[in-house]
Amino acid sequence: MNKGTVQKINQMEPWLGEEEKRAMIEYLDSGGWLTEFEKTKEFERMIADYTGSKYAVTVNNGTISLIIALMALNIGYGDEVIVPDFTMIASANAVTIVGARPLLVDIDPSNLCLNLGKTKELISPRTKAIMYVNLNGRCHDMNETVALARRYNLYLIEDAAQSLGSRFMGKHLGTFGDIGSFSFSYPKVITTGQGGALVTDDDELYDRIKKIKDFGRPQSGVDYHETMGLNSKFTDLQAVIGIEQMKKLDWRVNRKKEMYRLFQQLLKDIEQIKFLPTNLEDCAPWFNDIILEQEGIRDELTRFLKERGIGIRPFYPAVHTQPPYAYIKGDFVNSEDVSKKGLWLPSSSFLTDEDIERVCRTVKAFF
Ligand SMILES: Cc1ncc(COP(=O)(O)O)c(C=O)c1O
């Protein structure tokens, strides 16, 4: 697209730019390390500073970071964790993988995040944590979410995989709870190919997270394992890419907001298309999401756009409809509804205004 081709308009970022390539070559030429070392520390400091966290710890992806968050909080067999029924499957999988049980809760249709009222109804003495997913940079009043967790003595883990660059009242998402989790897997707001990070302000949790990602040992190279652990270390080569990506983050966040505004403006006359309430002061939508109220029209539009080379993606299915979670029954009216009606329009920050105009013209032609 930025190379002059508008044959296909899709969601993909040509993320490995000249800056990343140059930085990798320079780093290797300087005798740089492949494994986690100084560049990883520098990248972690950038994430901590950007999000306003005391600590950031990088890991190999945003699924492992959720698993480590749960392990750091000693959540496992016999425990329950509240998870929204509409999220990328990794949120629920992380809970299952540590041996705990995800308690799926319906979402609030106004922001696609966990329904706090319904959450209260499910909390039991076995419930240890809320995994709040800041889906697509949106959230509730996060002070209410924190208050709910505190009232019931639950840990709050924020799955902010989709929310780098998004805030609530100026405070970065992922920093309200005990631990926040980010993903840098392609194509996220920034990417290191695969990658993830945990943020926390808690000294003890930071210490545990660092040990868990390194086989449970307090120090690398020492074969004493204080706690159960994984090998989820990052690499300096990824960190070199991440550092360059972080330099582009402000630009990307602004572009995401501009793009969302432009889609809203160009599609505002199509009655069947609904945009979710989105405060663009704080929220940088990772994907340009729309809801098509009329039953069946989402799938017809999807086909129509795909046939014309426009890369769009229907919303995730509700988690309880996926085979590993089919055992969970409940009232999931909103997650079921949006998963049938939601569509992610092309969202790469490299789309030009002309690309977006073409997408919108094609959407209009459909209607
Ligand atoms: C909400 C959410 N959580 C977790 C993940 C998993 O991240 P990763 O792909 O880095 O494992 C994703 C990935 O898209 C996500 O969207």
Side-chain angles (χ1 to χ4, degrees), residues 61-63 66 87-88 90-91 133 159 161-162 183 185 188 195 286 316:
N61 60 57
T63 306
L66 294 172
T87 178
M88 200 261 170
S91 321
V133 183
D159 180 352
Q162 304 184 356
S183 163
S185 303
K188 288 293 185 312
W286 170 45
Y316 307 125

Side-chain angles (χ1 to χ4, degrees), residues 228-253:
M228 179 54 63
L230 305 163
N231 175 6
S232 310
K233 292 190 286 292
F234 208 54
T235 66
D236 259 21
L237 209 47
Q238 285 172 290
V240 168
I241 296 170
I243 290 165
E244 294 306 313
Q245 291 270 297
M246 284 301 283
K247 293 179 192 165
K248 299 173 179 174
L249 181 55
D250 282 341
W251 174 84
R252 232 170 242 190
V253 164

Side-chain angles (χ1 to χ4, degrees), residues 37-296:
F37 195 45
E38 294 298 334
K39 286 288 171 190
T40 301
K41 285 188 199 135
E42 189 181 332
F43 181 44
E44 289 176 338
R45 183 67 357 239
M46 286 173 101
I47 299 161
D49 290 347
Y50 184 84
T51 56
S53 308
K54 192 164 172 190
Y55 303 111
V57 181
T58 47
V59 291
N60 29 14
N61 60 57
T63 306
I64 291 289
S65 56
L66 294 172
I67 293 170
I68 294 179
L70 292 157
M71 288 172 74
L73 295 167
N74 279 318
I75 292 170
Y77 290 98
D79 297 332
E80 295 171 345
V81 178
I82 302 278
V83 179
D85 186 47
F86 182 67
T87 178
M88 200 261 170
I89 197 83
S91 321
N93 283 357
V95 175
T96 307
I97 285 165
V98 299
R101 186 184 150 93
L103 288 182
L104 297 178
V105 178
D106 201 8
I107 52 157
D108 186 332
S110 70
N111 53 21
L112 311 183
C113 296
L114 193 70
N115 183 314
L116 298 184
K118 289 188 179 179
T119 295
K120 280 186 218 160
E121 293 166 17
L122 279 189
I123 295 170
S124 80
R126 288 182 300 280
T127 314
K128 292 291 175 319
I130 297 176
M131 183 176 289
Y132 189 92
V133 183
N134 313 108
L135 209 84
N136 207 18
R138 298 196 185 88
C139 62
H140 288 92
D141 180 334
M142 285 309 288
N143 297 324
E144 259 181 53
T145 313
V146 172
L148 177 75
R150 298 291 169 254
R151 191 175 327 134
Y152 291 93
N153 204 18
L154 304 176
Y155 293 117
L156 178 61
I157 300 168
E158 280 175 271
D159 180 352
Q162 304 184 356
S163 298
L164 192 65
S166 289
R167 297 178 158 75
F168 173 72
M169 295 184 76
K171 185 169 159 61
H172 204 288
L173 299 183
T175 66
F176 286 86
D178 299 283
I179 302 177
S181 169
F182 293 93
S183 163
F184 310 127
S185 303
Y186 181 78
K188 288 293 185 312
V189 182
I190 68 158
T191 183
T192 53
Q194 297 289 337
L198 298 97
V199 296
T200 186
D201 287 343
D202 187 299
D203 295 356
E204 238 173 82
L205 283 175
Y206 171 65
D207 197 47
R208 279 184 59 70
I209 290 166
K210 297 262 289 178
K211 281 179 196 149
I212 294 167
K213 76 172 250 191
D214 187 16
F215 303 107
R217 60 189 172 187
Q219 214 182 320
S220 72
V222 174
D223 291 317
Y224 167 66
H225 305 274
E226 213 172 88
T227 184
M228 179 54 63
L230 305 163
N231 175 6
S232 310
K233 292 190 286 292
F234 208 54
T235 66
D236 259 21
L237 209 47
Q238 285 172 290
V240 168
I241 296 170
I243 290 165
E244 294 306 313
Q245 291 270 297
M246 284 301 283
K247 293 179 192 165
K248 299 173 179 174
L249 181 55
D250 282 341
W251 174 84
R252 232 170 242 190
V253 164
N254 282 335
R255 183 65 191 142
K256 292 273 180 198
K257 293 179 180 182
E258 273 173 16
M259 285 166 51
Y260 189 82
R261 257 186 223 110
L262 189 55
F263 271 116
Q264 269 183 320
Q265 187 201 321
L266 294 175
L267 297 176
K268 69 178 186 313
D269 296 331
I270 303 182
E271 253 176 52
Q272 294 94 326
I273 293 182
K274 200 178 99 190
F275 283 85
L276 296 169
T278 305
N279 171 10
L280 292 173
E281 283 294 305
D282 272 342
C283 171
W286 170 45
F287 273 115
N288 297 300
D289 47 3
I290 54 171
I291 308 285
L292 295 133
E293 282 298 351
Q294 202 184 320
E295 196 79 36

Side-chain angles (χ1 to χ4, degrees), residues 10-40:
N10 59 36
Q11 336 229 18
M12 297 304 182
E13 308 270 343
W15 63 275
L16 199 58
E18 290 310 312
E19 299 79 7
E20 285 81 4
K21 286 183 207 160
R22 200 169 37 242
M24 273 198 286
I25 291 163
E26 276 173 16
Y27 183 63
L28 290 175
D29 280 350
S30 73
W33 289 54
L34 285 176
T35 53
E36 174 174 319
F37 195 45
E38 294 298 334
K39 286 288 171 190
T40 301

